[in-house]
Amino acid sequence: SVGRGCSEGDYSIDYKGDEMTLTVEGCVADIALPRRLFESVGVEVADGVVDVRFNQGFRLAGIEVEGGLVNISSPNTPASSLRAEVNGGLLTLKLDYARYEGESSLDLEINGGLVELDVTLPQDTKVVAEARDLGGYSDVDVDKGLLEQKTYSRIFSFERTLRGGLLKATIKASQQ
């Protein structure tokens, strides 16, 4: 891992088995991750720039953005739980879910800034959405077929609390 414009202490990456914690403050971090499933991921960014691709996904993720730019993609996401808090800056999440058993969840708390969310789910998934919009602006497009699914093999729970800022979200079924 190499940080551009980073000095000692501006960023850290800690690996412990199948857990990873990434912290970036005020710099750009270029990160190459091993191609494996992470059980636990923590990403904290304050006025920095982070672009991370989880090739095999993660089971549990916590993301905190206090300004800056965070781009996270996972092209093969398993059953997982992701919680993100954004207090300024931009968070972009592109999550393509593989077939999984049980339930996955995504919980967003947006107090300021912008969140762009693009989720693709297997077709036989039931989406359960809960919104608490207290301020800000949201544009959420959930595939109607996923919301009205009568017979399904898995559940995707999407909760959001919007106190300020902007949310642009698309949740769609895969074409396969």
Side-chain angles (χ1 to χ4, degrees):
S1 299
V2 176
R4 290 185 304 203
C6 294
S7 38
E8 191 70 29
D10 285 346
Y11 73 101
S12 69
I13 301 173
D14 296 319
Y15 289 105
K16 293 179 185 138
D18 54 5
E19 297 180 4
M20 182 199 75
T21 302
L22 166 66
T23 304
V24 175
E25 292 185 31
C27 65
V28 177
D30 297 322
I31 301 158
L33 294 175
R35 291 181 166 266
R36 64 178 182 161
L37 173 67
F38 287 90
E39 286 299 320
S40 177
V41 173
V43 177
E44 298 175 12
V45 177
D47 300 322
V49 178
V50 173
D51 190 351
V52 182
R53 179 183 171 101
F54 294 97
N55 291 300
Q56 298 301 317
F58 47 81
R59 297 242 187 251
L60 179 64
I63 302 166
E64 187 173 330
V65 182
E66 300 281 341
L69 171 72
V70 178
N71 182 28
I72 295 179
S73 62
S74 179
N76 194 26
T77 310
S80 62
S81 177
L82 185 151
R83 183 176 191 303
E85 181 178 348
V86 179
N87 296 306
L90 170 63
L91 171 62
T92 301
L93 294 170
K94 180 163 181 18
L95 307 172
D96 294 325
Y97 283 81
R99 293 195 173 280
Y100 62 87
E101 300 279 326
E103 184 173 344
S104 283
S105 65
L106 175 58
D107 184 1
L108 296 176
E109 181 178 331
I110 306 167
N111 299 307
L114 171 64
V115 175
E116 293 179 341
L117 174 66
D118 183 0
V119 173
T120 303
L121 297 164
Q123 290 185 3
D124 54 346
T125 305
K126 169 75 172 172
V127 171
V128 178
E130 182 179 329
R132 289 179 296 281
D133 290 349
L134 308 170
Y137 176 78
S138 65
D139 179 5
V140 178
D141 180 19
V142 180
D143 184 313
K144 191 174 182 180
L146 295 173
L147 286 170
E148 297 174 351
Q149 194 76 262
K150 298 290 186 223
T151 58
Y152 48 90
S153 301
R154 66 199 52 80
I155 296 173
F156 180 79
S157 173
F158 174 53
E159 294 184 27
R160 72 175 193 259
T161 301
L162 182 63
R163 292 188 182 91
L166 296 148
L167 169 63
K168 170 69 173 133
T170 302
I171 301 173
K172 61 188 176 290
S174 67
Q175 298 305 309
Q176 299 179 18

